[in-house]
Amino acid sequence: MPTEKKISSASDCINSMVEGSELKKVRSNSRIYHRYFLLDADMQSLRWEPSKKDSEKAKIDIKSIKEVRTGKNTDIFRSNGISDQISEDCAFSVIYGENYESLDLVANSADVANIWVTGLRYLISYGKHTLDMLESSQDNMRTSWVSHMFSEIDVEDLGHITLCNAVQCIRNLNPGLKTSKIELKFKELHKSKDKAGTEVTKEEFVEVFHELCTRPEIYFLLVQFSSNKEFLDTKDLMMFLEAEQGVAHINEEISLEIIHKYEPSKEGKEKGWLSIDGFTNYLMSPDCYIFDPEHKKVCQDMKQPLSHYFINSSHNTYLIEDQFRGPSDITGYIRALKMGCRSVELDVWDGPDNEPVIYTGHTMTSQIVFRSVIDIINKYAFFASEYPLILCLENHCSIKQQKVMVQHMKKILGDKLYTTSPNVEESYLPSPDVLKGRILIKAKKLSSNCSGVEGDVTDEDEGAEMSQRMGKENVEQPNNVPVKRFQLCKELSELVSICKSVQFKEFQVSFQVQKYWEVCSFNEVLASKYANENPGDFVNYNKRFLARVFPSPMRIDSSNMNPQDFWKCGCQIVAMNFQTPGLMMDLNIGWFRQNGNCGYVLRPAIMREEVSFFSANTKDSVPGVSPQLLHIKIISGQNFPKPKGSGAKGDVVDPYVYVEIHGIPADCAEQRTKTVHQNGDAPIFDESFEFQINLPELAMVRFVVLDDDYIGDEFIGQYTIPFECLQTGYRHVPLQSLTGEVLAHASLFVHVAITNRRGGGKPHKRGLSVRKGKKSREYASLRTLWIKTVDEVFKNAQPPIRDATDLRENMQNAVVSFKELCGLSSVANLMQCMLAVSPRFLGADNTPLVVLNLSEQYPTMELQGIVPEVLKKIVTTYDMMIQSLKAVIENADAVYEKIVHCQKAAMEFHEHLHSIGTKEGLKERKLQKAVESFTWNITILKGQADLLKYAKNETLENLKQIHYAAVSCGLNKPGTENADVQKPRRSLEVIPEKANDETGD
């Protein structure tokens, strides 16, 4: 177990700097020098050695330091040839002198970098008063509170308490700590003092508490926002919530509420101060979990057709182990329904005493009575969700027992059964909203021309297929699903309304003859074949029809297929073996969390719109969808348990973290941290990763913690979350076990940022030199149909598409340029930029050198006298950014209208495109290619219109952030702080394909 002392105060940082550290000094032209840096004992100078310079020149006076930047955010770092090999988290720069020179340094770890950044910022803030501040902070609010805790135990005022009481008190304050670790820390302290006995004094109690209950990574975060105080006041907390956590509509009252809720000390609550312990409590609370609480309730449009949703589905729901020999039990249905499952399977066969039973046919699985399953379904059907439940009936019963099934379902389920005949004049299924509280039967149905009480239908038997695959039957064609005919009674047929099971033939046949209420089931192998060979057709098929995919019968251990393989094709009902934990069930459970765990998730618009181009196997960006850049920093871990069944290493844990992206093929990726050896209690990782997400609506992020072992890495915990549910900022990730239970007190601490979220085009690379200018800019391309009248319409769309791209990218480039001059990366927002640059705008006597005039919609910077050239450059770059923001706001509406006009004009040809193409002489493949090109072009136009709308919203948000930050920092020109930064303007709306289309997106 690591024994180095934790950093828990500015004093610790200063002491560490006086002792010194080896740092890498970075120069231009890829030159890097190893030097030993230390702070003079009088805290007046920063020195380094060895150096060719005179010892008096190999130093920087603390009073000459203007600022300390984190990360690789200076010209030297950006231009250095090996910058990509330098960790962002270990890099920092000291900006000093009248010419704002930079001393660019790289520490051996992020922890060491944080010590220097925190210590130097403290020295800059307090200068010659640093010693006084350090001494006064020793008897601070935190120490007083911990001492008070000690006194409450030491009721007889003996000056000491028992070791048992001391350990229990610290455990109560920090439940994640192990008793053995606390005891060991006290014993180590006593041993270092050659102290006999086990009594604990107040000083020892305070020291051990500070050592065990201080998380350095949170302390370093606190001092970033506290102006180097040991606590956050209400304004500091407001700034943290706004700038880092992205919380809107924050005021001092809300900050005070948070302080009163999480600050443990009485003094802190009275003064409105949040100590390191209160800040830690807040960051570890559900308020700061990574999952956006907005998604804990139903938050999606539930009025779309049923076929427009992914539906949480179970396969062989009655099984609680494998599907060949495992037992059947009603608890399988209870578990699935409580987890929000909305499609369960009932494999029904003739049973004894004229009572149908449920089990997997042709196998050795045990049986349960059909009636008892229907009873359980009636009880739990709407336990977790009010939206419709689909019962997938695999009916293998005789006519006699089919009638018994009908009697049970009618008697037990009653009015919950949805038996309304489909409306032949409609084109789509009813919505989940319309079907609330109803149970749908998916099964075979007699044809409408069958007038008798029974008839023949085909049977697709999963169980027989499995038996065949296991070699139990001698058949000539093992790859064909066995199809046989059986008798179906009319009463059972009449219970089937909008989920009639039919056999799939081929896509072109289905497009011509399949009814919207008919459902096809696909074996996993067949579905994979279509996903790979006909990805576009599969997506288009699923826009209108429900498709159910079930696992291959070869999965006799009830392992699971990857649901993402079929969700990317739009398949709604991907049936999972809920009894089998692992990656695939993690994806399924995580995916359906995003809409209140109601069992229904609205598919991406590009997979629902009638005219849209999307291929499930795309390995590139999606036309009309803006790629987004996900930045994840894995900071630390807390209280990792020892993996189950792991005994070779005793209690030692060597954790590392995988970050996985699951989605369309273009998005699938993974990155891993280094291993932190022998520390499962509080490992520090401090590693940053970046992922491009091309279809955010279908992407998921999975965090996996593993124990590094030479025999085989053991699973510790995981958490899976849809991309759309991520909260940005500093967040805790609550880890779950292999079977989905929450691991008590075990979590990851991460930072999440999403850039280019409202932009478009490719992600910006670091540095001005690699940013594309207008001449080399890539514009969205439209395809030629070789139908003259239609091509003419699309030709008219090219100029506004170019204008829209220029408006967006000019704005984005200008914003990135300003961020870089502020010394921040592209991950930062403009509020953080204004906060970073504000100290530079203050003169020696704290009078502003630059102020912001907020009286107009576009805030301008005004010089207040003579300022250094470096500040003039910032002001000039800011003015260029404001002009680009102004251009977006003043021109976006007109350009948007032109794009939408072209889109509407092109859509006039949609219904008659085939006949127009035929008249133009296009045949078969060329005609099909023209239709595909038309769909591509419409998708591009919709996408470009959306991107421009988002760019305008982003611009308004940028102006709002500038205004807010200027007022918060006191840089606004007096009398201009109440200016209206968001004058009402007509908003941009997406034009639907048809004005009267009730189901349009």
Side-chain angles (χ1 to χ4, degrees), residues 714-758:
E714 300 278 354
F715 175 89
I716 293 175
Q718 69 84 32
Y719 187 78
T720 307
I721 180 173
F723 179 87
E724 297 286 300
C725 298
L726 289 170
Q727 287 206 97
T728 55
Y730 288 91
R731 304 289 169 185
H732 275 91
V733 180
L735 294 176
Q736 297 177 342
S737 70
L738 193 63
T739 50
E741 290 88 13
V742 174
L743 295 171
H745 311 299
S747 63
L748 286 171
F749 186 43
V750 302
H751 182 266
V752 178
I754 299 169
T755 57
N756 208 27
R757 189 161 199 167
R758 298 290 181 255

Coordinates of all heavy atoms in Angstrom, one line a residue, residues 714-758:
E714 N -8.8 -9.8 -13.9 CA -10.1 -10.1 -13.3 C -11.0 -8.9 -13.4 O -10.5 -7.8 -13.2 CB -9.9 -10.5 -11.8 CG -9.0 -11.7 -11.6 CD -9.8 -13.0 -11.8 OE1 -11.0 -12.9 -11.9 OE2 -9.2 -14.1 -11.8
F715 N -12.3 -9.1 -13.5 CA -13.3 -8.1 -13.6 C -13.6 -7.5 -12.2 O -13.8 -8.3 -11.2 CB -14.6 -8.7 -14.2 CG -15.7 -7.7 -14.2 CD1 -16.0 -6.9 -15.3 CD2 -16.6 -7.6 -13.1 CE1 -17.0 -6.0 -15.3 CE2 -17.7 -6.8 -13.1 CZ -17.9 -6.0 -14.2
I716 N -13.5 -6.2 -12.1 CA -13.9 -5.5 -10.8 C -15.2 -4.9 -10.9 O -16.1 -5.1 -10.0 CB -12.8 -4.5 -10.4 CG1 -11.4 -5.1 -10.1 CG2 -13.2 -3.6 -9.2 CD1 -10.3 -4.2 -9.9
G717 N -15.5 -4.1 -11.9 CA -16.8 -3.4 -12.0 C -16.9 -2.7 -13.3 O -15.9 -2.5 -14.1
Q718 N -18.1 -2.3 -13.7 CA -18.4 -1.6 -14.9 C -19.6 -0.7 -14.8 O -20.4 -0.7 -13.9 CB -18.7 -2.6 -16.0 CG -20.0 -3.4 -15.9 CD -21.2 -2.7 -16.5 OE1 -21.1 -1.9 -17.4 NE2 -22.4 -2.9 -15.9
Y719 N -19.7 0.2 -15.8 CA -20.9 1.1 -15.9 C -21.1 1.5 -17.3 O -20.1 1.9 -18.0 CB -20.7 2.4 -15.0 CG -21.9 3.2 -15.0 CD1 -23.0 2.9 -14.1 CD2 -22.1 4.3 -15.8 CE1 -24.1 3.6 -14.0 CE2 -23.3 5.1 -15.7 CZ -24.3 4.7 -14.8 OH -25.4 5.5 -14.7
T720 N -22.3 1.3 -17.8 CA -22.6 1.5 -19.2 C -23.6 2.6 -19.3 O -24.7 2.5 -18.7 CB -23.1 0.2 -19.9 OG1 -22.1 -0.8 -19.7 CG2 -23.2 0.4 -21.4
I721 N -23.4 3.6 -20.2 CA -24.3 4.7 -20.3 C -24.4 5.2 -21.7 O -23.5 5.2 -22.5 CB -23.8 5.9 -19.4 CG1 -24.7 7.1 -19.5 CG2 -22.3 6.2 -19.8 CD1 -24.3 8.2 -18.5
P722 N -25.7 5.5 -22.2 CA -25.8 6.0 -23.5 C -25.1 7.4 -23.6 O -25.1 8.2 -22.7 CB -27.4 6.2 -23.7 CG -27.9 5.2 -22.7 CD -27.0 5.2 -21.5
F723 N -24.6 7.7 -24.8 CA -23.9 9.0 -25.0 C -24.8 10.1 -24.7 O -24.3 11.1 -24.1 CB -23.4 9.0 -26.5 CG -22.7 10.3 -26.8 CD1 -21.3 10.4 -26.6 CD2 -23.4 11.4 -27.3 CE1 -20.6 11.6 -26.9 CE2 -22.7 12.6 -27.6 CZ -21.3 12.7 -27.4
E724 N -26.0 10.0 -25.1 CA -27.0 11.1 -24.9 C -27.3 11.4 -23.4 O -27.9 12.4 -23.1 CB -28.3 10.9 -25.6 CG -28.1 10.8 -27.1 CD -27.9 12.1 -27.8 OE1 -28.8 13.0 -27.7 OE2 -26.9 12.3 -28.4
C725 N -26.9 10.5 -22.5 CA -27.2 10.7 -21.1 C -26.0 11.2 -20.3 O -26.1 11.4 -19.1 CB -27.7 9.3 -20.5 SG -29.2 8.7 -21.2
L726 N -24.9 11.4 -21.0 CA -23.7 11.9 -20.3 C -23.9 13.3 -19.8 O -24.4 14.2 -20.5 CB -22.5 11.9 -21.2 CG -21.9 10.5 -21.6 CD1 -20.9 10.7 -22.7 CD2 -21.3 9.8 -20.4
Q727 N -23.5 13.5 -18.5 CA -23.4 14.9 -18.0 C -21.9 15.3 -18.1 O -21.0 14.6 -17.7 CB -23.8 15.0 -16.5 CG -25.3 14.8 -16.3 CD -25.8 15.5 -15.0 OE1 -26.3 16.6 -15.0 NE2 -25.6 14.8 -13.9
T728 N -21.7 16.5 -18.6 CA -20.4 17.0 -18.7 C -19.9 17.6 -17.4 O -20.7 17.8 -16.5 CB -20.2 18.1 -19.8 OG1 -21.2 19.1 -19.6 CG2 -20.6 17.5 -21.2
G729 N -18.6 17.8 -17.3 CA -18.0 18.3 -16.1 C -17.3 17.2 -15.2 O -17.0 16.1 -15.8
Y730 N -17.1 17.5 -14.0 CA -16.5 16.6 -13.0 C -17.6 15.7 -12.5 O -18.6 16.1 -11.9 CB -15.8 17.3 -11.9 CG -14.5 17.9 -12.4 CD1 -14.5 19.3 -12.9 CD2 -13.3 17.2 -12.5 CE1 -13.3 19.9 -13.3 CE2 -12.1 17.8 -12.9 CZ -12.2 19.1 -13.4 OH -11.0 19.7 -13.8
R731 N -17.5 14.4 -12.7 CA -18.6 13.4 -12.4 C -18.0 12.2 -11.7 O -16.9 11.7 -12.0 CB -19.3 13.0 -13.7 CG -19.9 14.2 -14.4 CD -21.0 14.9 -13.7 NE -21.4 16.2 -14.3 CZ -22.3 17.0 -13.7 NH1 -23.0 16.6 -12.6 NH2 -22.7 18.1 -14.3
H732 N -18.8 11.5 -10.9 CA -18.5 10.2 -10.4 C -19.3 9.2 -11.1 O -20.5 9.4 -11.5 CB -18.8 10.1 -8.9 CG -17.7 10.6 -8.0 ND1 -17.6 12.0 -7.7 CD2 -16.6 10.0 -7.5 CE1 -16.4 12.1 -7.0 NE2 -15.8 11.0 -6.9
V733 N -18.7 8.0 -11.4 CA -19.3 6.9 -12.1 C -19.5 5.8 -11.1 O -18.6 5.2 -10.6 CB -18.4 6.4 -13.2 CG1 -19.1 5.3 -14.0 CG2 -18.1 7.6 -14.2
P734 N -20.8 5.5 -10.7 CA -21.0 4.4 -9.7 C -20.8 3.1 -10.4 O -21.5 2.8 -11.4 CB -22.5 4.6 -9.3 CG -23.1 5.3 -10.4 CD -22.0 6.2 -11.1
L735 N -19.9 2.3 -9.9 CA -19.6 1.0 -10.5 C -20.6 -0.1 -10.2 O -21.2 -0.1 -9.1 CB -18.2 0.5 -10.2 CG -17.1 1.4 -10.7 CD1 -15.7 1.0 -10.2 CD2 -17.1 1.5 -12.2
Q736 N -20.8 -1.0 -11.1 CA -21.7 -2.1 -10.9 C -21.0 -3.5 -11.0 O -20.0 -3.5 -11.7 CB -22.9 -2.1 -11.9 CG -23.7 -0.8 -11.7 CD -24.8 -0.7 -12.8 OE1 -24.8 -1.3 -13.8 NE2 -25.8 0.2 -12.5
S737 N -21.5 -4.5 -10.4 CA -20.9 -5.8 -10.4 C -21.2 -6.5 -11.8 O -22.0 -6.0 -12.6 CB -21.4 -6.7 -9.3 OG -22.8 -7.0 -9.5
L738 N -20.7 -7.7 -11.9 CA -21.0 -8.5 -13.2 C -22.4 -8.7 -13.4 O -22.9 -8.8 -14.5 CB -20.2 -9.8 -13.1 CG -20.0 -10.6 -14.4 CD1 -19.3 -9.8 -15.4 CD2 -19.4 -11.9 -14.1
T739 N -23.2 -8.9 -12.3 CA -24.6 -9.2 -12.4 C -25.5 -7.9 -12.2 O -26.7 -8.0 -12.1 CB -25.0 -10.2 -11.3 OG1 -24.5 -9.7 -10.0 CG2 -24.4 -11.5 -11.6
G740 N -24.9 -6.7 -12.2 CA -25.6 -5.5 -12.3 C -25.9 -4.8 -11.0 O -26.6 -3.8 -11.0
E741 N -25.5 -5.4 -9.9 CA -25.7 -4.8 -8.6 C -24.7 -3.6 -8.4 O -23.6 -3.7 -8.8 CB -25.6 -5.7 -7.4 CG -26.7 -6.8 -7.3 CD -26.4 -8.0 -8.1 OE1 -25.2 -8.2 -8.6 OE2 -27.3 -8.8 -8.4
V742 N -25.2 -2.6 -7.7 CA -24.3 -1.5 -7.4 C -23.2 -1.9 -6.4 O -23.6 -2.5 -5.4 CB -25.1 -0.2 -6.8 CG1 -24.1 0.9 -6.4 CG2 -26.0 0.3 -7.9
L743 N -22.0 -1.6 -6.6 CA -20.9 -1.9 -5.7 C -20.8 -0.8 -4.7 O -20.5 0.4 -5.1 CB -19.5 -2.1 -6.5 CG -19.5 -3.2 -7.5 CD1 -18.2 -3.1 -8.3 CD2 -19.5 -4.6 -6.7
A744 N -21.0 -1.1 -3.4 CA -21.0 -0.1 -2.4 C -19.8 0.7 -2.4 O -18.7 0.2 -2.3 CB -21.3 -0.7 -1.0
H745 N -19.9 2.1 -2.5 CA -18.8 3.0 -2.3 C -17.8 3.0 -3.4 O -16.8 3.7 -3.4 CB -18.1 2.9 -1.0 CG -19.1 2.9 0.2 ND1 -20.0 3.9 0.5 CD2 -19.3 1.9 1.1 CE1 -20.7 3.6 1.5 NE2 -20.3 2.4 1.9
A746 N -17.9 2.1 -4.4 CA -16.9 1.9 -5.5 C -17.3 2.8 -6.7 O -18.5 2.8 -7.2 CB -16.8 0.5 -6.0
S747 N -16.4 3.7 -7.1 CA -16.7 4.6 -8.2 C -15.4 5.0 -8.9 O -14.3 4.8 -8.5 CB -17.4 5.8 -7.6 OG -16.5 6.5 -6.7
L748 N -15.6 5.6 -10.1 CA -14.6 6.3 -10.8 C -14.9 7.8 -10.7 O -16.0 8.2 -10.8 CB -14.5 5.9 -12.3 CG -14.0 4.5 -12.6 CD1 -14.3 4.2 -14.1 CD2 -12.5 4.4 -12.3
F749 N -13.8 8.6 -10.7 CA -14.0 10.1 -10.8 C -13.4 10.5 -12.1 O -12.3 10.2 -12.5 CB -13.2 10.8 -9.6 CG -13.4 12.3 -9.5 CD1 -14.7 12.8 -9.7 CD2 -12.3 13.1 -9.3 CE1 -14.8 14.2 -9.6 CE2 -12.5 14.5 -9.2 CZ -13.8 15.0 -9.3
V750 N -14.3 11.2 -12.9 CA -13.9 11.5 -14.3 C -14.2 12.9 -14.6 O -15.0 13.6 -13.9 CB -14.6 10.5 -15.3 CG1 -14.3 9.1 -15.0 CG2 -16.1 10.8 -15.3
H751 N -13.7 13.4 -15.7 CA -14.1 14.7 -16.3 C -14.5 14.4 -17.7 O -13.9 13.7 -18.5 CB -13.0 15.7 -16.3 CG -13.4 17.0 -16.9 ND1 -13.2 17.4 -18.2 CD2 -14.0 18.1 -16.3 CE1 -13.7 18.6 -18.4 NE2 -14.2 19.0 -17.2
V752 N -15.7 14.9 -18.1 CA -16.3 14.7 -19.4 C -16.5 16.1 -20.1 O -17.0 17.0 -19.5 CB -17.7 14.0 -19.3 CG1 -18.3 13.8 -20.7 CG2 -17.5 12.7 -18.6
A753 N -16.1 16.1 -21.3 CA -16.3 17.3 -22.2 C -16.7 16.8 -23.6 O -16.2 15.8 -24.0 CB -15.1 18.2 -22.2
I754 N -17.7 17.5 -24.2 CA -18.1 17.2 -25.5 C -17.9 18.5 -26.4 O -18.6 19.5 -26.1 CB -19.6 16.7 -25.6 CG1 -19.7 15.4 -24.7 CG2 -20.0 16.5 -27.0 CD1 -21.1 15.0 -24.5
T755 N -17.1 18.4 -27.4 CA -16.9 19.6 -28.2 C -17.4 19.3 -29.6 O -17.7 18.2 -30.0 CB -15.4 19.9 -28.3 OG1 -14.7 18.8 -28.8 CG2 -14.8 20.3 -27.0
N756 N -17.5 20.4 -30.4 CA -18.1 20.3 -31.7 C -19.5 19.8 -31.7 O -20.0 19.3 -32.7 CB -17.2 19.4 -32.6 CG -17.3 19.8 -34.1 OD1 -17.6 21.0 -34.4 ND2 -17.1 18.9 -35.0
R757 N -20.1 19.9 -30.5 CA -21.4 19.4 -30.3 C -22.5 20.0 -31.2 O -23.4 19.4 -31.7 CB -21.8 19.5 -28.9 CG -23.1 18.7 -28.6 CD -23.3 18.4 -27.1 NE -24.2 17.3 -26.9 CZ -24.4 16.6 -25.8 NH1 -23.7 16.9 -24.8 NH2 -25.3 15.7 -25.7
R758 N -22.3 21.3 -31.4 CA -23.3 22.1 -32.3 C -22.6 22.6 -33.5 O -23.1 23.5 -34.1 CB -23.9 23.2 -31.5 CG -24.6 22.8 -30.3 CD -25.9 22.1 -30.6 NE -26.7 21.7 -29.5 CZ -26.7 20.4 -29.0 NH1 -26.1 19.5 -29.7 NH2 -27.4 20.1 -28.0

